[in-house]
Amino acid sequence: MENNKFQKKEPIWTRDFILISIASLFVTLGFQMLLPVLPVFSARIGGSDAWAGLVVGIFTISAVIMRPVSGMLLDSRGRRGVFIIGLIVFLICVVAYNWTSTILSLLIIRFIHGFGWGASSTASSTVASDIVPKSRLAEGMGYFGLTSTLAMAIAPALGLGLLSSYGFNMVFSVSAGFVFICILISLLIKYHKPEVFQKSDSDVLSGNIKDRIFEKTAITPATVIFFITMTYGAIVSFIALYAEQRQVENIGLFFTVYAIALLISRPYFGRMTDKKGTYFAVIPGIVFVITAMLVLYFADSLTVFLIAGCIYGIGFGAVQPALQAMSVSKVGHSRRGAANATFFLGFDLGIGAGAIIWGIIADIFGYQLIYLLSIIPAVVGVLVYVKTIKNPK
């Protein structure tokens, strides 16, 4: 009986799902390898800790601006164009970093870069959610998220390693190469065309613009992920500088351990979400995130940093796919773009707000305190979720 039930499951690993997953892997490799490197690059060309936070924050601001616009375009114009144009903008900006020599020029290019990332990442997630069967949505999006996990396992350590051995230009060149591969793969994908694409432009573009670019059912998960990713803003912006201050070497391994924990956590909690509901993934996941930030506050050796990375990976791997599935589970294909855009709006805004706030705090009080204070938004995330969720099922 169980065997027959298993055989009736709709397949996840189709040709197009594999292609979009590989494409996502390469663009995320290009993105993630820059994250620990750019704050160091900012410091090398004369920026303070606050400027380093702003380098991350301003990128997020433009990505946040682009998310709802790209969501509307995905639903009204189709997936292919938004995805490919976003990737091309991303590629041009990465190449431009090679000629950046001042903080002002870095901020300008980083701001434009955010538009490319906002469009391409929203599009790739929307394409994936189109392909995954609705009955296995959380599980499928959990698997899709493993491409980001694998990139996190490789890219930050790769970026820091290339920086140490060859310098910044090599980091930017390799990142650009990864994005170019993604563009080639994106041309092979057969994109889903919801019915709304067949309607006239006047039908598609009519109505309240707020309703077209934001999806109401995704507001709660977007709000919760905003508070959770504020903690990630502290990690991605300052973990390398914090470890250097603590005289801890090889901190790139933090991201490797974090990614391995994600690799295990995502599919497990994805299946649990499909069976029992988001409550059983989100609450324990946030508890793990809070614990990890507390461990980071006391970290004074590579071992303790790696323990924190493992705990954080388990927590984030539980929370993110569950909340993303919650965002898109109650909407049709014609609103998947808006739902993903709303969710990632909260995701990016949390990282950006966190990076800017923690940068100011680090300038005044040092790096250690930011990991204690970052527990506060995580706790707020729990309270928002518990207050707004109507049914744990």
Side-chain angles (χ1 to χ4, degrees), residues 245-260:
Q245 184 186 71
R246 294 292 223 179
Q247 297 183 328
V248 173
E249 298 180 348
N250 299 319
I251 193 60
L253 291 174
F254 173 93
F255 294 98
T256 303
V257 171
Y258 162 66
I260 292 171

Side-chain angles (χ1 to χ4, degrees), residues 252-275:
L253 291 174
F254 173 93
F255 294 98
T256 303
V257 171
Y258 162 66
I260 292 171
L262 275 174
L263 189 69
I264 298 169
S265 178
R266 278 184 187 272
Y268 174 78
F269 282 102
R271 288 190 293 269
M272 181 177 290
T273 298
D274 287 332
K275 292 178 180 178

Side-chain angles (χ1 to χ4, degrees), residues 44-94:
R44 294 286 172 84
I45 61 176
S48 64
D49 290 330
W51 281 108
L54 190 57
V55 166
V56 176
I58 199 167
F59 173 90
T60 307
I61 290 170
S62 56
V64 163
I65 294 170
M66 193 62 201
R67 293 288 191 194
V69 175
S70 59
M72 182 175 64
L73 292 173
L74 284 164
D75 290 337
S76 63
R77 301 293 184 181
R79 315 321 196 198
R80 180 190 295 272
V82 177
F83 189 31
I84 294 175
I85 291 172
L87 290 171
I88 291 171
V89 173
F90 191 116
L91 176 62
I92 291 171
C93 290
V94 174

Side-chain angles (χ1 to χ4, degrees), residues 144-160:
F144 176 72
L146 293 180
T147 60
S148 297
T149 301
L150 184 57
M152 289 176 189
I154 300 169
L158 175 62
L160 292 171

Side-chain angles (χ1 to χ4, degrees), residues 189-353:
I189 298 170
K190 295 178 182 177
Y191 296 88
H192 184 87
K193 294 185 178 180
E195 288 183 9
V196 71
F197 295 166
Q198 312 304 321
K199 297 180 181 180
S200 67
D201 288 349
S202 60
D203 290 336
V204 173
L205 298 177
S206 63
N208 190 300
I209 189 168
K210 185 176 71 173
D211 293 336
R212 286 190 277 113
I213 64 178
F214 296 108
E215 173 52 48
K216 292 179 181 179
T217 61
I219 290 176
T220 291
T223 303
V224 177
I225 202 67
F226 165 81
F227 289 111
I228 301 307
T229 55
M230 284 188 72
T231 66
Y232 191 64
I235 290 173
V236 77
S237 301
F238 299 106
I239 194 75
L241 297 169
Y242 180 44
E244 183 179 353
Q245 184 186 71
R246 294 292 223 179
Q247 297 183 328
V248 173
E249 298 180 348
N250 299 319
I251 193 60
L253 291 174
F254 173 93
F255 294 98
T256 303
V257 171
Y258 162 66
I260 292 171
L262 275 174
L263 189 69
I264 298 169
S265 178
R266 278 184 187 272
Y268 174 78
F269 282 102
R271 288 190 293 269
M272 181 177 290
T273 298
D274 287 332
K275 292 178 180 178
K276 296 185 176 182
T278 59
Y279 186 91
F280 294 90
V282 173
I283 297 300
I286 297 178
V287 171
F288 273 101
V289 167
I290 291 171
T291 303
M293 304 314 287
L294 189 61
V295 173
L296 279 175
Y297 174 72
F298 291 105
D300 58 0
S301 68
L302 181 60
T303 300
V304 180
F305 272 96
L306 297 185
I307 290 171
C310 180
I311 297 171
Y312 193 84
I314 293 171
F316 202 80
V319 172
Q320 192 267 334
L323 291 175
Q324 187 175 4
M326 182 179 173
S327 298
V328 300
S329 62
K330 295 181 179 180
V331 299
H333 285 294
S334 64
R335 293 292 293 167
R336 289 276 173 88
N340 273 296
T342 303
F343 175 77
F344 280 109
L345 185 70
F347 190 101
D348 287 340
L349 198 57
I351 296 176

